[in-house]
Amino acid sequence: MKIHFVTSEALPFSKTGGLADVIFGLSSALCKKEISSIVVSPLYSDIDFSSFEKVCSLPITMNWRQLVADIYRTNINGVDYFFIGNDYYFKREKIYGYDDEIERFAFFNLSYIEMIKRLNIRPDIVSVHDWETAMIPLLLKHNNLNFKTILTIHNPAFQGSSHSGALYDYFNLPYEYFENGTCRFHDYFSCLKTGIVTCDVLTTVSKTHAKELLNDLVSFNGLGHIIKLRKKNFVGITNGLDYEEFNPASDEYIEYPYDLTTVFPEKQMNQDFLLDSIRFKKDGAVFGIISRLTEQKGLDILPLVIDKIIKENAKLIVLGSGQPQYERIIEGLSKKYPKNIFYYCGYSNSFAHKIYASCDFLLMPSRYEPCGLSQLVAKRYGTIPIVSNVGGLVDTVVPYRKEKAINKADGIVFDISKEEEFVKAIDLAFIVYNDKSTLKKLIKNAMNYKSSWNDTVVSYITLYKKILGIN
Ligand code: GLC
């Protein structure tokens, strides 16, 4: 079985969000099960390709444009990574955020098709991700390349929308695909919609998010209406976690590595060390946030619980960057309460690991969350996630309720549709924090939770076999 992952980002080379982790984790886990896969992504400017093998240069015709795609290859832990280079489209400061986004990824999609034609590589399944590669199923069919395709939705809010002319102008596809509805969404052209109706199988990254997408016909521009058409070929498979990257027992970024047998007192020692390093006093509960600061992540409701955090003399450590309005909220809070709130604007892998290892609680008040990665990492490090009741958060956090036995509970889950529930969740966090035996049980449950890609990959393999008709 040969799987191609065609993606706009992939670790260890490029990342803005969880998609990059998924590609790396899933392809490596498949490799361990002796299923061969390759990863194809753009060659962005900060990727050091000096040691890569140059495979070839391909002429790419995009309507009137004569372009060149430089193909490079390297291998990471047994997985071949192919890169599509073009200075004009990809040698830019950021991965996303440009006015010609559709054109850039159209070039990437066309280059992938040319690459497999020229190199004569025949995948069994082409796995594409989000709008950036969602046109590939149609492009393959249009080029009479009849490989099976899977489109995975990681973030339904981004749909790659444009005017109908883009179809011909960038993708070399006839207007007919717009007229017959294949590429039309409302009255415009949408890459994601096209992918949804042309892939063989549609997936998203958790079971609950799959249900949400099917039942919520209003959100995401009404995408649910289209997804409903594919109901029979649509499944949710919860993402896994890379247990090597995130392992408190061998984490080189943390001062006192620990496992279940040493978590008490070592987690506390890590916390003390981190608080010292940011010159915070060592008293009270410590909350962490590691997040892209976008509307999706729900951080606008943070001010609701700040009074409580300050009153309890708790600490809040935030790491992340994103839309300026959310950066401003957090910046403002950290200036107002310099002894309790610490904000690192940007991203630091080493600081992220320290936060995961040191905090008592990790906050994720997401408005929607197809899967979510941080809650899985937090649990592996014995940090109790406080999450909203959406998407993958529902599937991966077992809620603790005061009136119920703890059993497997390992986090706090609240209803995001009612703001006061967030406040109650923080109240509950303080109750847990002050009752050390409950806190310890939750920490143990969290650390015992199994979420490794090595286990999760089985669901993907089952799906691949089903698509290919293999028993
Ligand atoms: C997106 C989603 C997130 C998911 C990730 C990987 O970033 O917002 O919930 O975990 O993709 O699938």
Side-chain angles (χ1 to χ4, degrees):
M1 207 191 292
K2 224 181 256 150
I3 318 290
H4 284 190
F5 292 101
V6 193
T7 173
S8 56
E9 47 185 280
L11 277 176
F13 298 102
S14 53
K15 165 167 166 143
T16 69
L19 165 61
D21 297 85
V22 170
I23 299 298
F24 178 74
L26 178 54
S27 60
S28 317
L30 285 171
C31 180
K32 284 188 199 136
K33 304 264 178 200
E34 289 178 10
I35 292 183
S36 116
S37 63
I38 70 164
V39 174
V40 185
S41 77
L43 184 67
Y44 297 113
S45 57
D46 57 358
I47 299 176
D48 174 8
F49 62 105
S50 52
S51 65
F52 297 176
E53 172 200 346
K54 170 100 187 257
V55 180
C56 60
S57 288
L58 297 174
I60 306 291
T61 303
M62 181 197 277
N63 194 350
W64 52 269
R65 305 167 190 83
Q66 297 300 328
L67 305 160
V68 175
D70 294 316
I71 314 291
Y72 293 87
R73 177 169 56 191
T74 192
N75 188 283
I76 298 287
N77 306 332
V79 178
D80 266 336
Y81 277 63
F82 283 80
F83 294 88
I84 293 184
N86 177 289
D87 286 358
Y88 174 68
Y89 289 125
F90 300 126
K91 210 169 179 187
R92 301 189 188 182
E93 201 188 320
K94 297 176 295 177
I95 294 185
Y96 310 116
Y98 298 97
D99 289 343
D100 58 350
E101 216 77 320
I102 306 270
E103 182 181 334
R104 296 173 72 220
F105 287 100
F107 170 78
F108 176 57
N109 289 202
L110 294 175
S111 302
Y112 168 70
I113 305 286
E114 278 312 302
M115 179 184 110
I116 54 172
K117 275 195 201 163
R118 163 74 89 91
L119 302 180
N120 199 18
I121 359 183
R122 304 187 63 80
D124 292 301
I125 293 176
V126 181
S127 159
V128 300
H129 301 266
D130 282 345
W131 78 263
E132 289 89 349
T133 48
M135 290 299 286
I136 287 178
L138 178 61
L139 286 169
L140 285 169
K141 286 189 176 77
H142 188 75
N143 283 277
N144 293 319
L145 295 166
N146 295 314
F147 309 127
K148 297 287 182 198
T149 54
I150 302 177
L151 166 64
T152 301
I153 301 179
H154 299 260
N155 198 332
F158 300 104
Q159 303 182 350
S161 308
S162 190
H163 56 91
S164 59
L167 201 57
Y168 180 61
D169 194 10
Y170 303 136
F171 291 94
N172 303 333
L173 290 169
Y175 187 66
E176 188 193 319
Y177 286 121
F178 185 78
E179 266 178 341
N180 70 18
T182 307
C183 302
R184 188 170 60 218
F185 191 34
H186 303 285
D187 56 352
Y188 50 84
F189 156 57
S190 156
C191 295
L192 188 62
K193 186 259 157 112
T194 305
I196 292 172
V197 296
T198 54
C199 65
D200 289 301
V201 170
L202 179 67
T203 74
T204 188
V205 288
S206 69
K207 286 194 170 50
T208 297
H209 192 57
K211 277 189 219 143
E212 290 166 348
L213 286 175
L214 279 174
N215 296 332
D216 178 353
L217 299 181
V218 183
S219 304
F220 311 118
N221 300 332
L223 200 68
H225 288 284
I226 310 294
I227 293 177
K228 255 173 89 176
L229 303 172
R230 299 305 313 271
K231 201 171 170 181
K232 282 198 193 123
N233 293 300
F234 177 44
V235 293
I237 301 178
T238 306
N239 287 336
L241 185 67
D242 180 348
Y243 265 34
E244 279 161 35
E245 156 94 8
F246 298 107
N247 182 359
S250 59
D251 192 322
E252 57 192 44
Y253 296 118
I254 64 177
E255 210 58 28
Y256 305 99
Y258 57 94
D259 61 18
L260 253 177
T261 60
T262 55
V263 54
F264 314 113
E266 302 226 342
K267 192 167 167 59
Q268 185 63 46
M269 288 157 65
N270 280 302
Q271 186 174 103
D272 292 350
F273 187 84
L274 180 68
L275 293 177
D276 267 345
S277 73
I278 57 172
R279 303 218 167 87
F280 271 21
K281 268 204 182 143
K282 289 180 267 186
D283 51 4
V286 180
F287 294 81
I289 293 176
I290 299 176
S291 179
R292 275 178 292 126
L293 305 183
T294 58
E295 199 184 335
Q296 175 193 351
K297 302 298 177 180
L299 295 169
D300 49 307
I301 63 170
L302 204 56
L304 292 176
V305 298
I306 293 299
D307 282 352
K308 195 140 282 166
I309 288 180
I310 303 300
K311 206 174 110 223
E312 298 281 342
N313 202 22
K315 314 287 180 284
L316 172 64
I317 303 176
V318 186
L319 169 66
S321 60
Q323 287 166 267
Q325 65 267 41
Y326 302 109
E327 290 183 357
R328 270 198 298 273
I329 294 178
I330 297 173
E331 184 81 56
L333 290 171
S334 71
K335 290 222 167 92
K336 191 165 170 199
Y337 305 106
K339 292 185 178 152
N340 299 75
I341 301 177
F342 182 87
Y343 178 35
Y344 182 112
C345 180
Y347 191 76
S348 151
N349 201 26
S350 113
F351 195 50
H353 280 242
K354 289 185 175 66
I355 296 178
Y356 284 125
S358 308
C359 289
D360 299 298
F361 302 97
L362 185 95
L363 294 180
M364 283 182 86
S366 304
R367 301 265 169 212
Y368 70 91
E369 196 62 79
C371 179
L373 181 68
S374 301
Q375 82 281 12
L376 297 176
V377 183
K379 286 183 14 163
R380 183 135 164 87
Y381 283 76
T383 298
I384 309 302
I386 302 177
V387 303
S388 51
N389 59 337
V390 295
L393 301 176
V394 174
D395 299 346
T396 58
V397 177
V398 188
Y400 168 68
R401 294 202 182 85
K402 230 177 8 190
E403 61 284 0
K404 289 204 171 149
I406 295 180
N407 294 327
K408 295 206 160 170
D410 57 18
I412 295 174
V413 182
F414 67 93
D415 183 350
I416 187 76
S417 66
K418 303 187 192 104
E419 288 192 337
E420 66 276 14
E421 295 296 317
F422 184 42
V423 181
K424 284 191 197 153
I426 301 296
D427 284 338
L428 183 57
F430 283 117
I431 293 173
V432 168
Y433 181 75
N434 291 320
D435 168 6
K436 294 293 180 239
S437 87
T438 301
L439 179 65
K440 282 188 174 174
K441 275 189 202 137
L442 294 186
I443 291 176
K444 282 191 180 156
N445 284 347
M447 290 182 77
N448 272 320
Y449 184 83
K450 300 269 172 288
S451 58
S452 161
W453 268 118
N454 291 339
D455 301 321
T456 318
V457 73
V458 177
S459 311
Y460 274 100
I461 296 176
T462 309
L463 176 68
Y464 297 155
K465 286 186 174 162
K466 198 170 148 201
I467 294 176
L468 298 173
I470 305 171
N471 289 319

